[in-house]
Each structure stands twice: as structure tokens, then as C-alpha cells.
Amino acid sequence: MGKWGIEGWEWRFIWRRDLFEWEKELIQVLLQELSLIQMNKDAKDRWVWLQEPHGCYTVRSAYGTQLSRRETADGQFYKAIWSSPVPSKVAGLAWKVALQRLPTIDNLAKRGVTVNLNGQGSCAFCRRHDEDNSHVIFTCSFSYGIWMACYNWLKVQTALPMDCITHFEHHGMWGVGGNRKTKWRVI
Ligand SMILES: [Zn+2]
């Protein structure tokens, strides 16, 4: 992980595999953030929960932190979607997905529109599962195959988040630099 050198603590990470270029960029960001921390040679290592003044973890505190982070992330998502360099109809689709307002079968049923499925699943792609927002965009075998084909093409290994906003944040994380960030926002 690291050792004390002449100029202080030096981080030395050992990875189980060669890193992708985008991961190397993340390491640089991590090292920049770590450089702001003053290491103390004489202090003993201990866990500290920074969200509480006493430093002790509580579920209540973790829940509050997640909640406020979620609200901020949601606001940033809607702002980012509408300032993204994609055609407005694509931004509109992403916006509808995030708000779960696609005219999926489950949403149509809520509005009293019934569809005769002849005993099959309501998903128009696979006909095996019921069609809802998350299924049609993320978990359907058809949609999942498209996402994975994109990631393979981009040489990225990842798990697919089921939630639209988390999914979007996931892509933002890969694009650290300006132009690259723009490209990931488009995807
Ligand atoms: Zn399906």
C-alpha cells in the first residue's frame, strides 16, 4: 500500500491485473485527493466515521448522508441531462426513464389501458417478463445485450446498475477529463 520515504509517505499500489487507461486516470485523481491528507508517522491507524463529530458510525447518520447525497445527485442528473450534447429527443427519453414515465405496459395499466398478451410476458422484446421501466432499459436480455455490446466495444468491464441515475453517474465516473467526459455523457 505504501511506505515512508525521504519526503514523507509514498503510496505504492499493487494491482491484480493491468489497468485500463481510464482506471489510470482515476488513480491520478485518487492520488491528488490523498496528497491533501497529512500522514502522521506516530499515530495509530483507526477507523473514523467523518459524518459524526465523535467519529463513530451510526446507521441513522449513514442513512441521512445517503439521502442528502441522493437528492444532490438527482438534481445534478437532471441538469446534466438537459445540458448534454445529445439530440433533445434523446435527453427527453433519459428524463422519462429517470422519472419512470415511459409508456411501458405497467404504466399503461395504471392509466386503465389494457393489452391482450395471450398469456405471455408483456415485454415487447423478450416476451418472457413483464415490461416495466427498469426491465425494458436495463434487465431485459435484449437491452442487456446491447449495453454489454457497447461496453465490449469500448473495452470496459462493468456491472450494469438497474437505476437510471446511478447508471448515468457510473458513466460520468469513467470520463475524468473534459472531452472524454462529454463522450461518456452522450453514451
Ligand atoms: Zn424483456
Side-chain angles (χ1 to χ4, degrees):
M1 189 60 89
K3 68 180 183 94
W4 287 99
I6 300 164
E7 294 182 16
W9 180 261
E10 294 166 4
W11 292 102
R12 297 230 175 125
F13 299 115
I14 299 167
W15 308 103
R16 287 192 295 178
R17 60 167 172 79
D18 292 338
L19 299 180
F20 293 109
E21 282 306 311
W22 64 270
E23 288 173 318
K24 288 178 186 167
E25 290 176 22
L26 286 179
I27 301 296
Q28 290 310 312
V29 174
L30 173 66
L31 287 173
Q32 273 174 17
E33 294 204 13
L34 288 174
S35 70
L36 303 173
I37 297 167
Q38 189 76 41
M39 300 291 273
N40 185 346
K41 205 171 186 174
D42 301 319
K44 199 176 173 198
D45 286 345
R46 67 190 176 100
W47 291 99
V48 177
W49 177 251
L50 293 176
Q51 305 302 325
E52 290 289 341
H54 49 65
C56 294
Y57 172 85
T58 64
V59 174
R60 181 193 174 97
S61 165
Y63 179 74
T65 306
Q66 278 298 97
L67 209 63
S68 60
R69 197 196 74 81
R70 185 75 265 171
E71 281 166 8
T72 311
D74 287 4
Q76 284 172 349
F77 168 78
Y78 294 116
K79 214 167 153 185
I81 279 294
W82 291 111
S83 61
S84 169
V86 296
S88 55
K89 67 177 181 183
V90 176
L93 177 71
W95 180 71
K96 281 184 189 170
V97 172
L99 292 174
Q100 308 207 3
R101 287 192 188 160
L102 287 180
T104 48
I105 299 293
D106 68 326
N107 272 344
L108 291 174
K110 282 176 202 163
R111 290 178 207 155
V113 180
T114 52
V115 179
N116 185 4
L117 300 167
N118 297 321
Q120 293 179 312
S122 61
C123 173
F125 292 135
C126 69
R127 289 287 180 216
R128 287 199 303 270
H129 297 275
D130 286 337
E131 186 183 275
D132 61 29
N133 196 74
S134 179
H135 176 80
V136 83
I137 300 293
F138 301 114
T139 60
C140 179
S141 54
F142 178 78
S143 319
Y144 185 82
I146 292 175
W147 284 114
M148 287 302 133
C150 291
Y151 294 146
N152 283 337
W153 175 54
L154 294 161
K155 296 186 173 44
V156 170
Q157 290 173 337
T158 184
L160 191 63
M162 305 290 175
D163 159 70
C164 178
I165 295 176
T166 312
H167 188 85
F168 184 80
E169 287 174 335
H170 205 60
H171 287 175
M173 187 183 77
W174 291 328
V176 176
N179 191 27
R180 194 165 174 204
K181 189 164 191 166
T182 306
K183 287 177 187 165
W184 275 113
R185 277 166 59 206
V186 171
I187 293 167

